[in-house]
Amino acid sequence: MRYLPLTDADRSEMLSVIGVRSVDELFRDVPEAARLKGKIDRLGDHMGELEVDRALSAMAAKNRAAGAGPFFVGAGAYKHHVPSSVDHLIQRGEFLTSYTPYQPEITQGTLQYLFEFQTQIALFTGMDVANASMYDASTGAAEAVLMANRVTRRSKAILSGGLHPQYRAVIETTARWQGFEAVGAPVDATGVEDLAAQVDKETSCVVVQNPSVFGHVRDLSPLAKACHDAGALLIVVVTEIVSLGLLMPPGEMGADIVVAEGQSLGVGLNFGGPYVGLFATREKFVRQMPGRLVGETVDADGQRGFVLTLSTREQHIRREKATSNICTNSGLCALAFTIHLTLLGEAGFTRLAELNHATAVKTADALAQVKGVSLLNGTFFNEFTLKLPKPAAPVVERLAAKGVLGGVPVSRLMPDDPAVADLLLVAATETVSDADIAALARALTEVL
Amino acid sequence: MVQSLDRSQGRSGTLSASGTTAPTFTGNRALQLEEKLIFEMGQPGRCGVDLPEPPRVADRLNGLRRRGAIGLPGLAEPQVVQHYTRLSQKNYAIDMGVYPLGSCTMKHNPRLNEKIARLPGFADVHPLQPQSTVQGAFELIDELARWLKTLTGMPAVAMSPAAGAHGEMCGMMAIAAALAARGESQRKTVLVPESAHGTNPATAAALGFVVKPIPATDDGHVDVAALKAALGSDVAAIMLTNPNTCGLFERDILEVADAVHAAGAYFYCDGANYNAIVGRVRPGDLGVDCMHINLHKTFSTPHGGGGPGSGPVVLSDRLAAYAPRPWIVHDVTGWHAAEEGTSVDGQPLGRLKAFHGQMGMFTRALAYMMSHGADGLKQVAEDAVLNANYVMARLSAEMTPAFGGPCMHEALFDDSFLKDTGVSTLDFAKAMIDEGFHPMTMYFPLVVHGALLIEPTETQSKEALDQFCDALLHLARKAKSGTAVEDFRAAPTMAPRRRLDETLAARKPVLRWKPSNNPPTDAPTRQAAE
């Protein structure tokens, strides 16, 4: 019971100050029938630090870590090198064990880093303002659609076929239960898709991912124009934030809302969560934006300081009239993200993006040489789609048996679509070495 | 009003406890350092990482290369480390002392949990790598699910919600799905007690339900008569928090559950305060149909300045089929995640979030559970309740409990002890900062005038509680003495910042740094938000 400071002597002294004989008396409002007698079965008793460490380490050892060999898995989560100082800094107790900054005088640390974070997001997305983060990009995308519905007072969202299928599923679930229409465009793995033709006067927004889930990089300016002409908003989703070190930002292409996954910087894979959703928009929409916001102000001495602001949009004030029910953000992941990006800075972020792209180009070219394999992408950033001569899912299993995690079979994301069975998504980041590329090409040759 | 200061020197200096300024050249106050924004300290040419020269390749970017600079600052690693270390020193944290935020529940965050979460087998695994290579990760999720189901006495759990409010969404969607399956989608009313967290009505409204508030009784419980009167064929569910936000156990809970079920509605329990009863009461025995569990509150996952959270939802048999994807299943070949349904119609809820849930939080929560065990978790609830009642008993000498005892995990006071003192609830809370404590939750729950909600949690020692109580008793006596009103209104005077102008921030939002940004100036409103 190393986390519990009270001694039995403390407890009896405290009970006497309270004026009761036993702690059971403090639970007297619990109906007799609802009281648990004895201890709960089938759960073990308390364990020492060594025992817990041993038990959970054994469980961890049953997983193959991404760093254990050649690794090319992406599709919305990416393996990148995280500088050592990031994890060191986020483990400082003053960050790690602090709560929502409701008392700004003694939480300027959290508030300032979130203000810096918001600024960074606005800068590299090319947008005016960003919030202090969302749960992740998939839930952020659903919130973006809800926001577009509020702004346009319309209720039909058009979802690109190049949108990550799990993001699409999250939006469709939200649509089903929050009462709007979500229209999915047909999937085309080659990247051909005319979303502009589908925009009409009922459309609240078009949701498009760039690079797409298949890796294609598109100029969204014509689509933005089509949306704006019809009074709809363009929502751009970015699952690989490193791409924005090299690519024209969505804001410059005319996006109204940008939702991005920040996992690539600072956060790590973590088997899918927690991640950090980035959410940016135009100044004029700021009061319709979901999530938490930090703003600059002055204190009683006129010194610059930061506070949570525009909270009149939020659930704790507006209750059933709030813009969303979200009452937290991904503070600690946002901290990791912002520290990593601060370490990179202008030069490092650009360099990291170039390194990712060049590595992916080398990987794609090497794999396209493998007999029977063809590359579907004319354009990509650090992830692309291969067409294999046989179903991709068993190929990936055989690659894994050879020690190479070779990518994501598209069928894993789209199990209902037989047309994608032979497609393989391959991601190559700066962590991929020439030897890794050679190992994948060799293993792929052997298993095909 | 706050004391006015001479700002003619740009830096205002700092205010000492006696109210005199003690300016320094740098604006620093000993170890409390003024810190610029990263955008004001960067230099082109500096970089905090070393990356190799990219190989030369012809790019495949479709002519969409970024034109022009992003505008990010350049800093070397030591500058970055110093910057964030200095910022950290401007934060209060549970590692520093009592953090009595009622309803938010700040308890010790064991570092073993952090170590476990960082094992490469958990931290460095991809959600879409072959399932055969992540058997331990599925095992961990299933083991945590087993603990949650066993502790709550509920047959099913949905693991994917990303936070408590997301869990509310999940649970209420399951209720909507179950009603649709019963052909009773006309049930559009959700009953929500007035003392509920704002997320409850926000969640219900987002799903198209009509929120009907249920009043509280004079003793801080849900008004059962009013509740029963509101039940009818239009009611989908009740969203009830138990123990409630007044820190009280809803003693009529079994009667409430029976009435709700008899009316054909579902019972959503907000599990925000489950930490008060874990190991002693199973929500399944209370007739609950679904309940989210904020892992940070009950099982000590760190909250890092606001998230990430994790909000698994336990479900009754009646709702289990409506849990969202993915479902973790086990068969003779091992663990699998059933990630997608064959169609949205075949799977009523679909998906709430990409991938499998907040794995990094699961790891920490399970490490905490195993550390305490079934025996220790019971002790957790008992010590949390004991600590809260001890604080209530000691503070009652000078402060006014909102309701009679006993309380559960948190002690609720109203501000009547400050009546006619000229000291507001906010002043009183801010004065705690100068005494070295984070203020308690203020003005919540709304059903109590000038609410002061104190939650000490089980990880505070008696010594720490005594120190905390002594300080509060001192402040209460000082307020009542009538001689120190100005001190209270000026507080805090020793924090990194004095009272911040929240009205200005909302009226003229400055949400990002720009090269031309000067601190906003607006003299008439430059005073603390009252």
Side-chain angles (χ1 to χ4, degrees), chain B residues 271-309:
Chain B
N273 299 330
Y274 180 52
N275 61 310
I277 54 171
V278 61
R280 281 196 67 112
V281 178
R282 292 187 304 186
D285 297 337
L286 302 176
V288 167
D289 289 302
C290 56
M291 180 182 93
H292 74 268
I293 300 167
N294 306 72
L295 291 184
H296 79 275
K297 291 184 177 181
T298 303
F299 302 112
S300 85
T301 66
H303 214 41

mmCIF file of all heavy atoms in Angstrom, chain B residues 271-309:
data_model
loop_
_atom_site.group_PDB
_atom_site.id
_atom_site.type_symbol
_atom_site.label_atom_id
_atom_site.label_comp_id
_atom_site.label_asym_id
_atom_site.label_seq_id
_atom_site.Cartn_x
_atom_site.Cartn_y
_atom_site.Cartn_z
ATOM 1 N N GLY B 271 -19.705 8.178 -14.032
ATOM 2 C CA GLY B 271 -18.760 7.535 -13.125
ATOM 3 C C GLY B 271 -17.614 8.413 -12.682
ATOM 4 O O GLY B 271 -16.598 7.915 -12.180
ATOM 5 N N ALA B 272 -17.766 9.727 -12.846
ATOM 6 C CA ALA B 272 -16.666 10.632 -12.492
ATOM 7 C C ALA B 272 -16.222 10.442 -11.040
ATOM 8 O O ALA B 272 -15.061 10.640 -10.716
ATOM 9 C CB ALA B 272 -17.075 12.076 -12.744
ATOM 10 N N ASN B 273 -17.160 10.055 -10.193
ATOM 11 C CA ASN B 273 -16.823 9.951 -8.772
ATOM 12 C C ASN B 273 -16.720 8.508 -8.284
ATOM 13 O O ASN B 273 -16.868 8.232 -7.097
ATOM 14 C CB ASN B 273 -17.871 10.717 -7.953
ATOM 15 C CG ASN B 273 -17.897 12.188 -8.305
ATOM 16 O OD1 ASN B 273 -16.872 12.749 -8.689
ATOM 17 N ND2 ASN B 273 -19.053 12.809 -8.207
ATOM 18 N N TYR B 274 -16.454 7.631 -9.230
ATOM 19 C CA TYR B 274 -16.349 6.207 -8.881
ATOM 20 C C TYR B 274 -15.229 5.956 -7.874
ATOM 21 O O TYR B 274 -15.258 4.991 -7.106
ATOM 22 C CB TYR B 274 -16.129 5.404 -10.167
ATOM 23 C CG TYR B 274 -15.995 3.918 -9.985
ATOM 24 C CD1 TYR B 274 -16.949 3.182 -9.279
ATOM 25 C CD2 TYR B 274 -14.909 3.233 -10.530
ATOM 26 C CE1 TYR B 274 -16.820 1.817 -9.112
ATOM 27 C CE2 TYR B 274 -14.779 1.864 -10.375
ATOM 28 C CZ TYR B 274 -15.730 1.157 -9.653
ATOM 29 O OH TYR B 274 -15.597 -0.190 -9.492
ATOM 30 N N ASN B 275 -14.241 6.850 -7.849
ATOM 31 C CA ASN B 275 -13.121 6.679 -6.915
ATOM 32 C C ASN B 275 -13.572 6.604 -5.464
ATOM 33 O O ASN B 275 -12.858 6.064 -4.627
ATOM 34 C CB ASN B 275 -12.097 7.812 -7.097
ATOM 35 C CG ASN B 275 -12.680 9.183 -6.823
ATOM 36 O OD1 ASN B 275 -13.736 9.520 -7.351
ATOM 37 N ND2 ASN B 275 -12.013 9.959 -6.007
ATOM 38 N N ALA B 276 -14.770 7.125 -5.172
ATOM 39 C CA ALA B 276 -15.239 7.119 -3.785
ATOM 40 C C ALA B 276 -15.735 5.760 -3.340
ATOM 41 O O ALA B 276 -15.824 5.484 -2.144
ATOM 42 C CB ALA B 276 -16.366 8.137 -3.624
ATOM 43 N N ILE B 277 -16.082 4.908 -4.294
ATOM 44 C CA ILE B 277 -16.746 3.655 -3.907
ATOM 45 C C ILE B 277 -16.069 2.414 -4.486
ATOM 46 O O ILE B 277 -16.518 1.298 -4.228
ATOM 47 C CB ILE B 277 -18.237 3.668 -4.333
ATOM 48 C CG1 ILE B 277 -18.378 3.968 -5.832
ATOM 49 C CG2 ILE B 277 -19.027 4.683 -3.504
ATOM 50 C CD1 ILE B 277 -19.812 3.785 -6.355
ATOM 51 N N VAL B 278 -14.987 2.626 -5.253
ATOM 52 C CA VAL B 278 -14.340 1.470 -5.884
ATOM 53 C C VAL B 278 -13.969 0.426 -4.822
ATOM 54 O O VAL B 278 -13.456 0.759 -3.755
ATOM 55 C CB VAL B 278 -13.104 1.924 -6.710
ATOM 56 C CG1 VAL B 278 -12.057 2.610 -5.830
ATOM 57 C CG2 VAL B 278 -12.477 0.739 -7.452
ATOM 58 N N GLY B 279 -14.300 -0.816 -5.121
ATOM 59 C CA GLY B 279 -13.970 -1.897 -4.189
ATOM 60 C C GLY B 279 -14.977 -2.068 -3.064
ATOM 61 O O GLY B 279 -14.898 -3.024 -2.303
ATOM 62 N N ARG B 280 -15.909 -1.134 -2.920
ATOM 63 C CA ARG B 280 -16.910 -1.224 -1.851
ATOM 64 C C ARG B 280 -18.333 -1.326 -2.375
ATOM 65 O O ARG B 280 -19.209 -1.866 -1.707
ATOM 66 C CB ARG B 280 -16.827 -0.001 -0.922
ATOM 67 C CG ARG B 280 -15.716 -0.073 0.082
ATOM 68 C CD ARG B 280 -15.934 0.942 1.178
ATOM 69 N NE ARG B 280 -17.104 0.631 1.982
ATOM 70 C CZ ARG B 280 -17.054 0.256 3.257
ATOM 71 N NH1 ARG B 280 -15.893 0.147 3.860
ATOM 72 N NH2 ARG B 280 -18.162 0.007 3.920
ATOM 73 N N VAL B 281 -18.563 -0.747 -3.545
ATOM 74 C CA VAL B 281 -19.890 -0.783 -4.147
ATOM 75 C C VAL B 281 -19.709 -1.084 -5.627
ATOM 76 O O VAL B 281 -18.857 -0.482 -6.272
ATOM 77 C CB VAL B 281 -20.616 0.579 -3.997
ATOM 78 C CG1 VAL B 281 -21.979 0.530 -4.668
ATOM 79 C CG2 VAL B 281 -20.750 0.965 -2.530
ATOM 80 N N ARG B 282 -20.513 -2.021 -6.146
ATOM 81 C CA ARG B 282 -20.459 -2.297 -7.584
ATOM 82 C C ARG B 282 -21.638 -1.608 -8.267
ATOM 83 O O ARG B 282 -22.796 -1.896 -7.936
ATOM 84 C CB ARG B 282 -20.511 -3.803 -7.843
ATOM 85 C CG ARG B 282 -19.261 -4.526 -7.359
ATOM 86 C CD ARG B 282 -19.269 -5.968 -7.775
ATOM 87 N NE ARG B 282 -20.469 -6.648 -7.295
ATOM 88 C CZ ARG B 282 -20.680 -7.954 -7.421
ATOM 89 N NH1 ARG B 282 -19.775 -8.713 -8.028
ATOM 90 N NH2 ARG B 282 -21.793 -8.494 -6.963
ATOM 91 N N PRO B 283 -21.359 -0.721 -9.200
ATOM 92 C CA PRO B 283 -22.457 -0.034 -9.894
ATOM 93 C C PRO B 283 -23.459 -1.013 -10.491
ATOM 94 O O PRO B 283 -24.654 -0.695 -10.561
ATOM 95 C CB PRO B 283 -21.734 0.776 -10.970
ATOM 96 C CG PRO B 283 -20.387 1.049 -10.369
ATOM 97 C CD PRO B 283 -20.048 -0.198 -9.580
ATOM 98 N N GLY B 284 -22.987 -2.201 -10.886
ATOM 99 C CA GLY B 284 -23.919 -3.195 -11.415
ATOM 100 C C GLY B 284 -24.991 -3.562 -10.406
ATOM 101 O O GLY B 284 -26.136 -3.863 -10.774
ATOM 102 N N ASP B 285 -24.648 -3.517 -9.120
ATOM 103 C CA ASP B 285 -25.618 -3.838 -8.071
ATOM 104 C C ASP B 285 -26.597 -2.695 -7.818
ATOM 105 O O ASP B 285 -27.564 -2.844 -7.075
ATOM 106 C CB ASP B 285 -24.898 -4.176 -6.755
ATOM 107 C CG ASP B 285 -24.019 -5.412 -6.891
ATOM 108 O OD1 ASP B 285 -24.293 -6.233 -7.792
ATOM 109 O OD2 ASP B 285 -23.040 -5.543 -6.117
ATOM 110 N N LEU B 286 -26.304 -1.530 -8.409
ATOM 111 C CA LEU B 286 -27.185 -0.375 -8.219
ATOM 112 C C LEU B 286 -28.213 -0.265 -9.332
ATOM 113 O O LEU B 286 -29.021 0.655 -9.343
ATOM 114 C CB LEU B 286 -26.354 0.921 -8.182
ATOM 115 C CG LEU B 286 -25.266 1.017 -7.109
ATOM 116 C CD1 LEU B 286 -24.473 2.311 -7.276
ATOM 117 C CD2 LEU B 286 -25.869 0.946 -5.710
ATOM 118 N N GLY B 287 -28.129 -1.168 -10.310
ATOM 119 C CA GLY B 287 -29.093 -1.112 -11.407
ATOM 120 C C GLY B 287 -28.648 -0.229 -12.555
ATOM 121 O O GLY B 287 -29.452 0.178 -13.401
ATOM 122 N N VAL B 288 -27.351 0.062 -12.592
ATOM 123 C CA VAL B 288 -26.825 0.922 -13.645
ATOM 124 C C VAL B 288 -26.812 0.181 -14.984
ATOM 125 O O VAL B 288 -26.484 -1.001 -15.042
ATOM 126 C CB VAL B 288 -25.382 1.346 -13.259
ATOM 127 C CG1 VAL B 288 -24.655 1.979 -14.423
ATOM 128 C CG2 VAL B 288 -25.424 2.276 -12.057
ATOM 129 N N ASP B 289 -27.165 0.872 -16.076
ATOM 130 C CA ASP B 289 -27.079 0.277 -17.417
ATOM 131 C C ASP B 289 -25.764 0.614 -18.098
ATOM 132 O O ASP B 289 -25.258 -0.175 -18.890
ATOM 133 C CB ASP B 289 -28.240 0.753 -18.290
ATOM 134 C CG ASP B 289 -29.549 0.139 -17.846
ATOM 135 O OD1 ASP B 289 -29.630 -1.104 -17.825
ATOM 136 O OD2 ASP B 289 -30.474 0.891 -17.486
ATOM 137 N N CYS B 290 -25.258 1.783 -17.874
ATOM 138 C CA CYS B 290 -23.910 2.079 -18.360
ATOM 139 C C CYS B 290 -23.288 3.202 -17.547
ATOM 140 O O CYS B 290 -23.987 4.053 -17.006
ATOM 141 C CB CYS B 290 -23.894 2.389 -19.856
ATOM 142 S SG CYS B 290 -24.970 3.704 -20.385
ATOM 143 N N MET B 291 -21.971 3.155 -17.489
ATOM 144 C CA MET B 291 -21.235 4.137 -16.692
ATOM 145 C C MET B 291 -19.846 4.289 -17.279
ATOM 146 O O MET B 291 -19.163 3.300 -17.530
ATOM 147 C CB MET B 291 -21.129 3.653 -15.242
ATOM 148 C CG MET B 291 -20.380 4.615 -14.329
ATOM 149 S SD MET B 291 -20.232 3.981 -12.627
ATOM 150 C CE MET B 291 -18.629 3.167 -12.735
ATOM 151 N N HIS B 292 -19.442 5.516 -17.513
ATOM 152 C CA HIS B 292 -18.046 5.706 -17.952
ATOM 153 C C HIS B 292 -17.160 5.826 -16.723
ATOM 154 O O HIS B 292 -17.617 6.202 -15.637
ATOM 155 C CB HIS B 292 -17.911 6.937 -18.858
ATOM 156 C CG HIS B 292 -18.005 8.242 -18.130
ATOM 157 N ND1 HIS B 292 -19.188 8.917 -17.975
ATOM 158 C CD2 HIS B 292 -17.067 8.990 -17.511
ATOM 159 C CE1 HIS B 292 -18.965 10.033 -17.291
ATOM 160 N NE2 HIS B 292 -17.693 10.092 -16.994
ATOM 161 N N ILE B 293 -15.911 5.489 -16.923
ATOM 162 C CA ILE B 293 -14.940 5.565 -15.827
ATOM 163 C C ILE B 293 -13.785 6.437 -16.288
ATOM 164 O O ILE B 293 -13.071 6.087 -17.232
ATOM 165 C CB ILE B 293 -14.415 4.163 -15.451
ATOM 166 C CG1 ILE B 293 -15.585 3.283 -15.010
ATOM 167 C CG2 ILE B 293 -13.360 4.263 -14.364
ATOM 168 C CD1 ILE B 293 -15.231 1.808 -14.924
ATOM 169 N N ASN B 294 -13.598 7.576 -15.641
ATOM 170 C CA ASN B 294 -12.450 8.423 -15.969
ATOM 171 C C ASN B 294 -11.219 7.767 -15.349
ATOM 172 O O ASN B 294 -11.045 7.792 -14.132
ATOM 173 C CB ASN B 294 -12.624 9.819 -15.378
ATOM 174 C CG ASN B 294 -13.928 10.473 -15.784
ATOM 175 O OD1 ASN B 294 -14.995 10.078 -15.322
ATOM 176 N ND2 ASN B 294 -13.854 11.446 -16.647
ATOM 177 N N LEU B 295 -10.380 7.183 -16.194
ATOM 178 C CA LEU B 295 -9.258 6.417 -15.633
ATOM 179 C C LEU B 295 -8.358 7.287 -14.762
ATOM 180 O O LEU B 295 -7.782 6.809 -13.792
ATOM 181 C CB LEU B 295 -8.450 5.755 -16.749
ATOM 182 C CG LEU B 295 -9.158 4.617 -17.504
ATOM 183 C CD1 LEU B 295 -8.197 3.974 -18.515
ATOM 184 C CD2 LEU B 295 -9.698 3.554 -16.563
ATOM 185 N N HIS B 296 -8.235 8.559 -15.091
ATOM 186 C CA HIS B 296 -7.324 9.383 -14.289
ATOM 187 C C HIS B 296 -7.858 9.613 -12.892
ATOM 188 O O HIS B 296 -7.092 9.743 -11.950
ATOM 189 C CB HIS B 296 -7.015 10.717 -14.989
ATOM 190 C CG HIS B 296 -8.082 11.744 -14.871
ATOM 191 N ND1 HIS B 296 -9.149 11.794 -15.729
ATOM 192 C CD2 HIS B 296 -8.261 12.763 -13.993
ATOM 193 C CE1 HIS B 296 -9.926 12.814 -15.380
ATOM 194 N NE2 HIS B 296 -9.416 13.406 -14.339
ATOM 195 N N LYS B 297 -9.153 9.658 -12.758
ATOM 196 C CA LYS B 297 -9.714 9.973 -11.450
ATOM 197 C C LYS B 297 -9.656 8.783 -10.503
ATOM 198 O O LYS B 297 -9.301 8.913 -9.342
ATOM 199 C CB LYS B 297 -11.166 10.436 -11.605
ATOM 200 C CG LYS B 297 -11.275 11.783 -12.281
ATOM 201 C CD LYS B 297 -12.715 12.260 -12.336
ATOM 202 C CE LYS B 297 -12.769 13.655 -12.965
ATOM 203 N NZ LYS B 297 -14.134 14.178 -13.022
ATOM 204 N N THR B 298 -10.020 7.647 -11.029
ATOM 205 C CA THR B 298 -10.073 6.484 -10.148
ATOM 206 C C THR B 298 -8.762 5.700 -10.156
ATOM 207 O O THR B 298 -8.373 5.135 -9.145
ATOM 208 C CB THR B 298 -11.263 5.588 -10.547
ATOM 209 O OG1 THR B 298 -12.462 6.363 -10.487
ATOM 210 C CG2 THR B 298 -11.406 4.402 -9.608
ATOM 211 N N PHE B 299 -8.084 5.708 -11.296
ATOM 212 C CA PHE B 299 -6.907 4.835 -11.414
ATOM 213 C C PHE B 299 -5.618 5.576 -11.752
ATOM 214 O O PHE B 299 -4.695 5.002 -12.328
ATOM 215 C CB PHE B 299 -7.204 3.728 -12.431
ATOM 216 C CG PHE B 299 -8.417 2.905 -12.051
ATOM 217 C CD1 PHE B 299 -9.579 2.951 -12.788
ATOM 218 C CD2 PHE B 299 -8.400 2.115 -10.905
ATOM 219 C CE1 PHE B 299 -10.701 2.216 -12.425
ATOM 220 C CE2 PHE B 299 -9.519 1.382 -10.528
ATOM 221 C CZ PHE B 299 -10.672 1.424 -11.291
ATOM 222 N N SER B 300 -5.567 6.862 -11.459
ATOM 223 C CA SER B 300 -4.321 7.630 -11.332
ATOM 224 C C SER B 300 -3.530 7.854 -12.615
ATOM 225 O O SER B 300 -2.340 8.095 -12.554
ATOM 226 C CB SER B 300 -3.394 6.979 -10.291
ATOM 227 O OG SER B 300 -2.607 5.937 -10.842
ATOM 228 N N THR B 301 -4.174 7.813 -13.785
ATOM 229 C CA THR B 301 -3.387 8.174 -14.964
ATOM 230 C C THR B 301 -3.172 9.686 -14.948
ATOM 231 O O THR B 301 -4.059 10.435 -14.556
ATOM 232 C CB THR B 301 -4.072 7.728 -16.268
ATOM 233 O OG1 THR B 301 -5.280 8.460 -16.451
ATOM 234 C CG2 THR B 301 -4.383 6.246 -16.231
ATOM 235 N N PRO B 302 -2.008 10.155 -15.336
ATOM 236 C CA PRO B 302 -1.687 11.579 -15.150
ATOM 237 C C PRO B 302 -2.492 12.461 -16.100
ATOM 238 O O PRO B 302 -2.861 12.032 -17.194
ATOM 239 C CB PRO B 302 -0.200 11.659 -15.485
ATOM 240 C CG PRO B 302 0.055 10.509 -16.387
ATOM 241 C CD PRO B 302 -0.905 9.430 -15.983
ATOM 242 N N HIS B 303 -2.741 13.703 -15.682
ATOM 243 C CA HIS B 303 -3.608 14.544 -16.496
ATOM 244 C C HIS B 303 -2.851 15.645 -17.214
ATOM 245 O O HIS B 303 -3.459 16.451 -17.931
ATOM 246 C CB HIS B 303 -4.755 15.099 -15.670
ATOM 247 C CG HIS B 303 -6.014 15.232 -16.464
ATOM 248 N ND1 HIS B 303 -6.427 14.279 -17.370
ATOM 249 C CD2 HIS B 303 -6.950 16.207 -16.531
ATOM 250 C CE1 HIS B 303 -7.562 14.676 -17.938
ATOM 251 N NE2 HIS B 303 -7.897 15.838 -17.452
ATOM 252 N N GLY B 304 -1.564 15.724 -17.001
ATOM 253 C CA GLY B 304 -0.698 16.559 -17.842
ATOM 254 C C GLY B 304 -1.217 17.913 -18.264
ATOM 255 O O GLY B 304 -1.102 18.273 -19.430
ATOM 256 N N GLY B 305 -1.795 18.690 -17.379
ATOM 257 C CA GLY B 305 -2.251 20.020 -17.755
ATOM 258 C C GLY B 305 -3.556 20.001 -18.533
ATOM 259 O O GLY B 305 -3.927 20.985 -19.143
ATOM 260 N N GLY B 306 -4.239 18.865 -18.564
ATOM 261 C CA GLY B 306 -5.501 18.760 -19.292
ATOM 262 C C GLY B 306 -5.399 17.678 -20.338
ATOM 263 O O GLY B 306 -5.171 17.940 -21.505
ATOM 264 N N GLY B 307 -5.540 16.465 -19.961
ATOM 265 C CA GLY B 307 -5.521 15.361 -20.916
ATOM 266 C C GLY B 307 -4.145 14.813 -21.161
ATOM 267 O O GLY B 307 -3.167 15.401 -20.735
ATOM 268 N N PRO B 308 -4.033 13.692 -21.822
ATOM 269 C CA PRO B 308 -5.121 12.926 -22.405
ATOM 270 C C PRO B 308 -5.920 12.176 -21.348
ATOM 271 O O PRO B 308 -5.390 11.816 -20.308
ATOM 272 C CB PRO B 308 -4.393 11.942 -23.322
ATOM 273 C CG PRO B 308 -3.080 11.725 -22.654
ATOM 274 C CD PRO B 308 -2.717 13.050 -22.051
ATOM 275 N N GLY B 309 -7.170 11.947 -21.663
ATOM 276 C CA GLY B 309 -8.018 11.164 -20.790
ATOM 277 C C GLY B 309 -8.225 9.777 -21.341
ATOM 278 O O GLY B 309 -7.559 9.354 -22.288
#
